[in-house]
Amino acid sequence: MHKTLFIFCSLIVALSAVVTKTVGAKAPDQPNILLILVDDLKPALGCYGDAAARTPHIDALAARGMRFNRAYCNQAVCAPSRFTLMLGSHSTSTGLYNLGSHLRQVLPKAVTMPQYFARHGYRTESLGKVFHIGHGNQGDPQSFSVPHFKDKVIEYLDPASTGGGKLTREEALFTNQKLGQIRSLPRGAAFEAPVAKDSDYADGRVAAETIRRLQAAKARREQNGTPFFITAGFVRPHLPFSAPKKYWDLFDPDKLPMPSNEQAPQGAPVVAVKRGGEIKAYKPVPERGEISELLKRQLIHGYYASTSFVDTQIGKVIQELDRLKLAHNTIIVLWGDHGFHLGDLGIWTKHTNYEQANRIPILVIAPGVTRPGDSTGQLAETVDIFPTLAELAGLKAPPGPQPIDGISLVPVLKDSTARLRDHAFHAYPRKILGRAIRTERYRLVEWRNPGQAADAAQYELYDYQQDPHETRNHASRQPEILKQLLGKLDKYPEAVGRGKRRPK
Ligand SMILES: [Ca+2]
């Protein structure tokens, strides 16, 4: 063969190898991915130092890899938080702030994390609560290779919980029924504790189906090398705290931690502080007036019992992953979609820019990269998971087209002392949009709608070294710190308004 022609042919072969590798190829060393999502799970876990928690399976999982001690969601409510995870984009970059926000109306060409992996040869599957379904939202079928395995979020076994089997408000919202008439429906119970099997509730069934999917995925990988990206979404400890009695029985309610400070922070703007809200959608929480001490204790008991229930389901999935000998080439991530107030600051559930609603657990077990028992103080955000998993799988950084706000945390997975950023960003739109910067020591919240002048802003500043429970807004007392943190916040582009798209 002529020498030039030979070089040309070799180039073609090499080029086609590159093309094959980047478009849909299955490299034999591509790791599988198991992404475990837990609804409304704050770090009320043994591995995060919560002495009241009974979470042996999640604790054992944490001991296998990296625990992020300073991880934050990007917006403390289900649907937007899951969009930030799946897109790698802050809600302030997309305008996807609401439970009913439609991903494909706002970003029709977005490439979600599972879509990106599917383009690189992965079979992507989803089970349970992954994208938020309800409040008019139908999820995002195009993110996955096969139809979504859907199960309930709001679920009752005890007829007394539903007034004898009536459709309750939250059941209707989460199943897209009677959306215009929610207030005319009865409230369901905030908790129930029947004698029941795990599989009587959605999380038990999602665990069982995830186990079947892992078995099939293992066989598929052996047959044709296809790696899997399985997302399993568990719904407890989201309200209602419906969990089998045996999980309630793990706790002595008198020994559970009660809120130490139920006052709003002194000097906090009115807009920042939540009263009532989601918790009042459940009986017997009074629709007006105070929650009794007994009921507070029952709700806290329900949160911990629900967390133990979900912990056991996650344990079953991990046990099967081990039995199938998939652990050596499967990356496991566990993520809570946002935190949860249990009466602290007088607040219940989420929807705030305070610490309890925004701090989340993130665990990453990456074979050959993380080390057992490691932990880090690196500030991490939900949006970082997409770029991190891409790098771990040997893929290029996610290219969008949606704005990618996350960074790969792989350097931290390799060395827990590495530092990639000095703060985490999050936002919550109450009547006004609040955008926040959380550093190791401080949190700044700026309350100002997009387009409003800076002098219209209201500020909160918390110093977690001096005042770990946010008892006082320090904004007017520490102008130098406020200015320094505003300098960090001002580096972010102006937020997209609600219901708007960023202009091209
Ligand atoms: Ca949630």
Side-chain angles (χ1 to χ4, degrees), residues 38-41 77-79 81-82 129 238 337-339 350:
V38 190
D39 208 0
D40 290 26
L41 180 66
V77 67
C78 307
S81 177
R82 284 150 195 269
K129 183 161 167 179
H238 190 290
D337 67 345
H338 47 77
K350 54 264 190 183

Side-chain angles (χ1 to χ4, degrees), residues 55-72:
T55 52
H57 301 98
I58 295 175
D59 300 348
L61 185 61
R64 290 161 68 149
M66 177 65 81
R67 182 183 77 237
F68 283 86
N69 284 332
R70 291 196 179 95
Y72 291 88

Side-chain angles (χ1 to χ4, degrees), residues 42 75 78 131 151 184 194 205 227 287 336 339-340 350 378 382 443 461 494:
K42 67 159 134 190
Q75 190 186 324
C78 307
F131 283 94
D151 210 318
S184 70
R205 295 186 293 269
E287 292 189 85
F340 206 83
K350 54 264 190 183
Q378 169 65 61
T382 292
R443 172 179 275 106
L461 177 66
E494 181 72 306

